[in-house]
Amino acid sequence: MVRATLPNILVVVADDHESRAIKWAGNKAVETPHFDRLAAQGTAFTRAYHNGGFDDAVCIPTRASLLTGMDNFGALRGGRDVINPDCTTLPERFRHAGYHCFVTGKWHNDRASLARSFDSGEKIFLGGMYDHFGTPVRPFDPTGVFPESAISTERRFSADAFCETAAHFIHDYDEDAPFFAYVALTTPHDPRTPPAGDLERYPADSITLPPNFEAEHPFDLGVREIRDECLAPYPRTPERIQEEIAAYYGMISATDRSFGKIIAALQARDILDNTIIVYTGDHGLAVGQHGLLGKQNVYEHSCRVPLIIAGPGVPAGQTTDALAYSWDIFPTLCDLCHLEPPTGLDARSLSPVLENPAQNHREAISTHYMGYHRMVTEHQWKLIFTRVNDVPRQQLFDLVTDPNETNNLIDAPDCAAHAQRLLARMQDSPAGLPSADKQPCY
């Protein structure tokens, strides 16, 4: 019997979940009943973003930022995947406050930070992506070694394996301390191989193409030959993109169904009402939008993330378009649990937004990919600046009238002031203006 009076914490992080590919967000084509219910019971953020990074595997820096409440310049230190050892991680902060911290699922950062952040764990995948029906997993190792000899192969669909593992932890948990459960999924990331029943929900010929579908991106973004973009041939055909989206929706529905198993476990233990739940993602995905398939760009479909917070202290039935970063959840969870966050975080608590969803949380958001993609957005206006092969290009979008980013206003005389203002914001952002280089941040 869980006897904690402080709220338990459940943080679920998806991989490649485009923020609008959820029914509550307005996409009527995809079935996500558990995510929809969570949004109805809590507060949903429609303009949450990751901060980007200097890695084709965008999940490495974005998850490091989520775990530290720092932009990726502060979150990573000493190697491609190494979380800055000077940073207290989110679970580590709760562990120091007396919470029992549990982990299952994907960990694509260094092993030392994994070991210092948690008390226990099971079915941990050390890597970025794998066969969803043959994932190599390991038990938690407090020494941080996580030896190869401990690997076993998980044959269940990956989201089922990780969510069922979290559900078993909740079912068996019997300590006085509250728990912090971190469930890091590898779905809906490719390979897009959902269980057969989930795939059958979405006949490819019934899929409506996104309004910003293109056969190819109109100019070079420097990403044409990376793995994500090679999952379908050029030019993209409507039929092939319909197949990709159908399989992607199947992966999302399968993820939603698996997530429901954790909710059922909380209900069975009668602790759902005393558990703060966060559902978010590391980044989005294009899946045919703008002629792209991956997340290695700074369009809205790729740099926005889903973000839903529900539980004690969180108003139900709220939706807000306040600008936020996914890593703002660090001080937010501290506030909700009456804990002091670490000093010096780049993150800002979302508590004022929870109290007033019209609250202006941030004036602007900036995101980057490698050394040559930059984005800055305010509530309405957004500037993208790329420099590939030393060819600079700027795009200016009015996200109110053009949410799919199809009408570039950079040459419109009456929009020049917006472009100049956003360019100044971009220059002052941590990543600065784009260069021709792929700059490491560690």
Side-chain angles (χ1 to χ4, degrees):
M1 180 68 180
V2 180
R3 292 176 285 275
T5 55
L6 288 171
N8 303 298
I9 306 293
L10 169 67
V11 176
V12 180
V13 182
D15 198 342
D16 277 12
H17 195 168
E18 205 261 325
S19 67
R20 293 174 289 190
I22 308 176
K23 180 164 278 190
W24 73 261
N27 188 331
K28 304 303 181 184
V30 62
E31 297 296 326
T32 53
H34 294 101
F35 296 145
D36 301 342
R37 191 172 303 116
L38 184 69
Q41 294 170 345
T43 297
F45 293 77
T46 64
R47 297 289 301 278
Y49 295 80
H50 69 71
N51 181 231
F54 294 83
D55 201 302
D56 286 347
V58 183
C59 61
I60 292 175
T62 57
R63 293 190 184 219
S65 288
L66 191 151
L67 286 160
T68 60
M70 303 294 291
D71 68 27
N72 61 187
F73 294 93
L76 292 170
R77 189 69 52 80
R80 177 193 182 203
D81 61 357
V82 179
I83 291 177
N84 187 344
D86 293 333
C87 290
T88 299
T89 68
L90 173 59
E92 191 177 19
R93 174 66 188 94
F94 278 79
R95 190 181 182 196
H96 292 165
Y99 277 71
H100 181 101
C101 293
F102 172 85
V103 59
T104 186
K106 170 176 172 172
W107 189 267
H108 206 184
N109 294 101
D110 65 296
R111 302 182 188 193
S113 59
L114 170 59
R116 69 181 165 97
S117 296
F118 298 96
D119 297 287
S120 66
E122 192 56 66
K123 305 290 184 184
I124 299 167
F125 167 57
L126 299 179
M129 57 172 287
Y130 214 84
D131 178 354
H132 290 293
F133 293 91
T135 308
V137 295
R138 315 172 198 225
F140 183 71
D141 181 0
T143 70
V145 175
F146 296 91
E148 304 299 300
S149 60
I151 293 175
S152 62
T153 300
E154 178 53 65
R155 297 297 180 186
R156 287 174 291 177
F157 180 64
S158 63
D160 283 339
F162 300 143
C163 290
E164 288 172 9
T165 298
H168 290 154
F169 164 76
I170 292 166
H171 178 270
D172 295 338
Y173 189 72
D174 193 30
E175 296 185 15
D176 291 338
F179 63 76
F180 183 111
Y182 180 75
V183 183
L185 305 176
T186 55
T187 56
H189 196 294
D190 68 275
R192 290 188 262 276
T193 53
D198 296 295
L199 181 61
E200 291 165 0
R201 297 187 190 196
Y202 304 103
D205 59 6
S206 71
I207 296 296
T208 300
L209 290 172
N212 51 5
F213 165 77
E214 294 183 80
E216 298 191 45
H217 195 270
F219 58 87
D220 187 7
L221 288 178
V223 300
R224 186 182 178 90
E225 303 303 323
I226 65 171
R227 191 203 66 84
D228 291 49
E229 297 301 336
C230 294
L231 295 176
Y234 297 97
R236 319 301 195 189
T237 64
E239 295 77 15
R240 179 56 183 268
I241 295 304
Q242 285 178 305
E243 293 174 359
E244 294 290 336
I245 294 174
Y248 183 59
Y249 285 173
M251 294 291 288
I252 291 170
S253 287
T255 303
D256 176 90
R257 177 176 44 75
S258 299
F259 172 75
K261 298 177 181 181
I262 309 178
I263 302 301
L266 294 169
Q267 291 174 321
R269 293 298 305 273
D270 196 26
I271 55 174
L272 180 60
D273 291 342
N274 194 40
T275 302
I276 298 170
I277 302 171
V278 176
Y279 179 76
T280 189
D282 48 10
H283 42 68
L285 202 66
V287 204
Q289 299 180 77
H290 293 105
L292 305 168
L293 286 178
K295 60 270 187 179
Q296 293 84 0
N297 62 84
V298 291
Y299 288 113
E300 294 291 286
H301 47 67
S302 297
C303 59
R304 278 197 207 180
V305 298
L307 178 58
I308 308 170
I309 306 175
V314 180
Q318 285 192 158
T319 300
T320 176
D321 63 358
L323 298 177
Y325 288 114
S326 56
W327 28 277
D328 286 337
I329 67 170
F330 194 146
T332 306
L333 289 175
C334 289
D335 278 357
L336 290 171
C337 297
H338 308 290
L339 302 178
E340 284 292 326
T343 59
L345 296 186
D346 294 320
R348 301 178 187 174
S349 175
L350 295 165
S351 294
V353 181
L354 297 178
E355 296 173 5
N356 175 12
Q359 176 82 23
N360 187 22
H361 180 60
R362 291 180 183 271
E363 293 291 335
I365 291 284
S366 63
T367 292
H368 55 278
Y369 171 66
M370 293 296 190
Y372 48 93
H373 288 211
R374 298 288 184 269
M375 178 279 279
V376 63
T377 184
E378 300 167 339
H379 286 273
Q380 179 174 0
W381 295 96
K382 173 176 176 177
L383 179 70
I384 294 176
F385 189 174
T386 62
R387 186 187 295 272
V388 175
N389 295 324
D390 211 28
V391 177
R393 295 181 184 271
Q394 295 186 40
Q395 297 167 280
L396 179 68
F397 299 109
D398 179 346
L399 295 180
V400 172
T401 62
D402 181 26
N404 294 301
E405 300 167 287
T406 59
N407 183 21
N408 183 9
L409 300 172
I410 194 64
D411 294 324
D414 58 344
C415 295
H418 299 304
Q420 292 169 4
R421 182 183 67 256
L422 290 168
L423 187 64
R425 284 191 184 275
M426 185 180 291
Q427 189 165 18
D428 290 341
S429 70
L433 297 180
S435 69
D437 301 322
K438 298 184 179 182
Q439 305 164 357
C441 62
Y442 45 81

